[in-house]
Amino acid sequence: MLLITGGAGYIGSHVVLGLLDRGREVLVLDNLSRGHEDLVGKALFEECDLRDLAQVRKVLGKYPIDGVLHFASLSLVGDSMSDPHSYYRNNIGGTMNMITAMLEAGVERIVFSSSAAVYGEPRVMPIREEAPKAPTNPYGETKLFIESMLRRSFEAYGIKSVSLRYFNAAGADPKGRTGEDHHPETHLVPLALDAVLGKVEALTVYGNDYPTHDGTCIRDYVHVSDLADAHIEALEGLEKGNLGCEAFNLGNGKGFSVLEIVSAVRSVTGRGFPLKFTSRRPGDPAVLVASSARAERELGWKRRFTDIDEIIETAWRWHQKRFKGGRRP
Ligand code: UFG
């Protein structure tokens, strides 16, 4: 049985469904502070907070766990600047408890949800795994520290791990079973779709004075189901004994500016919406684009969604289903 922490969240729930589709037995552990229990399909579910070691121990003592996929964490860059301690407690503290319970239960495999945020503001594009790690916010610092906890846990105790550094996750399950549902929402694509549905008056564009072709930030948008596939390939690599302690970037390898995403959203939905230009959002680098060559080579990762319109189309289908009736605040 596989344990998915944060399995009721955006990326975690796609991995849960991907594993269930492949006939794997899945237990989701989530404190539901951000996640939604209705998104975990037919997986077993335990409400549990990773900050409480006794709770985590209980779950690992109760079920025969063969491997962990660890998504549970706080993940808002701005939030991490104003309240870093919550990030230390949730992300680092939660992972410490998970590793403690894994050691006690003899669980030796973990796939970890890391982030492009470990790199900070690199100068060389596309970003390769060897690029300097210089996070510019506590969120990225917690992800980087957890990667080194995992490396030390491999060296000292033999816990095998894969850290997956995602760039900008986007889109939704093509079958419409799960998708992005954050409260509050801070991400570009769902906020643009909110503007399409008239749930916000305008989409705010943070800065048009960046050194890019149209002045807005460039990001690498990768489909969440492709991310899910990479997790499953990483897990299988660990199970076959092919991987020890590794880290891989996951992106599409192509950058899109905020205005290019706006125009893709307009073309996919067939609807216009107003924009409001404001100053830069603190901590946003101008350009982040991944090289995922290592994941392609070593995990055999092949993306199913390389076209930005197709990615946005899956997000749009989900967004209408989930929010049209007015669930959005
Ligand atoms: N943006 C806007 N308006 C909005 C929201 C976003 O202009 O209303 C812009 C941002 O400035 C940024 C781009 O759209 O240039 C993408 O922003 P998102 O908030 O969607 O995503 P981020 O690139 O900020 O964040 C992602 C992940 C984080 C991770 C970070 C690493 O979601 O978890 O990359 O840099 F930490």
Side-chain angles (χ1 to χ4, degrees):
M1 180 179 290
L2 298 163
L3 174 63
I4 322 289
T5 78
Y10 175 40
I11 302 171
S13 64
H14 285 80
V15 175
V16 168
L17 294 180
L19 288 165
L20 291 172
D21 288 347
R22 286 164 176 81
R24 304 290 300 250
E25 232 185 327
V26 175
L27 168 67
V28 169
L29 188 156
D30 201 297
N31 69 1
L32 297 179
S33 68
R34 303 286 191 280
H36 309 277
E37 197 179 341
D38 64 315
L39 302 184
V40 306
K42 291 195 163 59
L44 290 170
F45 181 80
E46 290 271 356
E47 188 169 338
C48 169
D49 196 312
L50 289 188
R51 288 169 297 187
D52 183 342
L53 178 58
Q55 282 187 34
V56 185
R57 277 188 169 131
K58 208 167 139 197
V59 170
L60 273 98
K62 186 169 159 192
Y63 298 94
I65 302 299
D66 307 309
V68 174
L69 294 102
H70 178 36
F71 298 90
S73 82
L74 296 179
S75 61
L76 296 178
V77 169
D79 230 21
S80 80
M81 297 292 279
S82 53
D83 185 14
H85 194 74
S86 290
Y87 281 70
Y88 307 142
R89 274 171 47 77
N90 273 277
N91 299 7
I92 296 176
T95 307
M96 278 174 61
N97 287 342
M98 178 49 68
I99 295 175
T100 303
M102 284 173 66
L103 284 169
E104 289 169 359
V107 181
E108 288 183 343
R109 292 187 274 266
I110 179 167
V111 179
F112 169 58
S113 167
S114 188
S115 170
V118 300
Y119 295 110
E121 304 198 13
R123 282 159 198 271
V124 180
M125 295 295 147
I127 303 166
R128 295 159 61 93
E129 287 81 356
E130 305 72 29
K133 316 296 177 298
T136 52
N137 52 65
Y139 166 67
E141 285 163 3
T142 63
K143 293 287 177 180
L144 187 57
F145 187 71
I146 293 166
E147 284 196 17
S148 49
M149 283 167 68
L150 291 174
R151 198 177 55 251
R152 297 296 186 194
S153 299
F154 174 63
E155 291 161 2
Y157 318 116
I159 289 188
K160 299 182 186 67
S161 65
V162 174
S163 295
L164 297 174
R165 299 175 184 149
Y166 328 135
F167 283 64
N168 288 61
D173 175 50
K175 294 185 183 151
R177 299 169 294 177
T178 184
E180 201 161 5
D181 184 355
H182 295 117
H183 295 277
E185 188 51 81
T186 61
H187 295 101
L188 179 62
V189 173
L191 286 172
L193 295 173
D194 273 352
V196 169
L197 289 181
K199 297 204 176 286
V200 291
E201 269 179 30
L203 174 72
T204 303
V205 177
Y206 296 124
N208 57 356
D209 58 350
Y210 284 95
T212 60
H213 64 277
D214 63 15
T216 64
C217 287
I218 291 178
R219 293 287 181 276
D220 181 336
Y221 296 85
V222 54
H223 197 279
V224 63
S225 299
D226 284 334
L227 292 182
D229 288 349
H231 287 79
I232 296 169
E233 283 150 8
L235 175 76
E236 290 170 353
L238 291 171
E239 289 172 342
K240 286 183 196 137
N242 298 343
L243 301 167
C245 174
E246 313 286 345
F248 298 99
N249 288 343
L250 299 177
N252 243 320
K254 189 165 183 314
F256 289 90
S257 72
V258 173
L259 292 180
E260 285 168 341
I261 295 296
V262 165
S263 97
V265 169
R266 285 177 172 155
S267 116
V268 165
T269 62
R271 301 187 207 170
F273 52 90
L275 300 179
K276 189 172 97 194
F277 289 89
T278 62
S279 49
R280 295 180 180 196
R281 191 171 65 175
D284 274 347
V287 182
L288 289 175
V289 177
S291 161
S292 307
R294 184 186 284 178
E296 288 162 21
R297 200 174 53 239
E298 291 178 32
L299 297 178
W301 188 47
K302 285 192 189 70
R303 284 163 296 239
R304 288 180 275 157
F305 296 87
T306 48
D307 179 51
I308 193 67
D309 286 1
E310 248 188 290
I311 293 176
I312 290 173
E313 221 168 85
T314 60
W316 176 225
R317 281 207 297 277
W318 161 258
H319 208 84
Q320 293 175 89
K321 180 173 152 200
R322 187 82 167 173
F323 301 117
K324 214 171 180 174
R327 262 177 61 95
R328 208 74 161 178

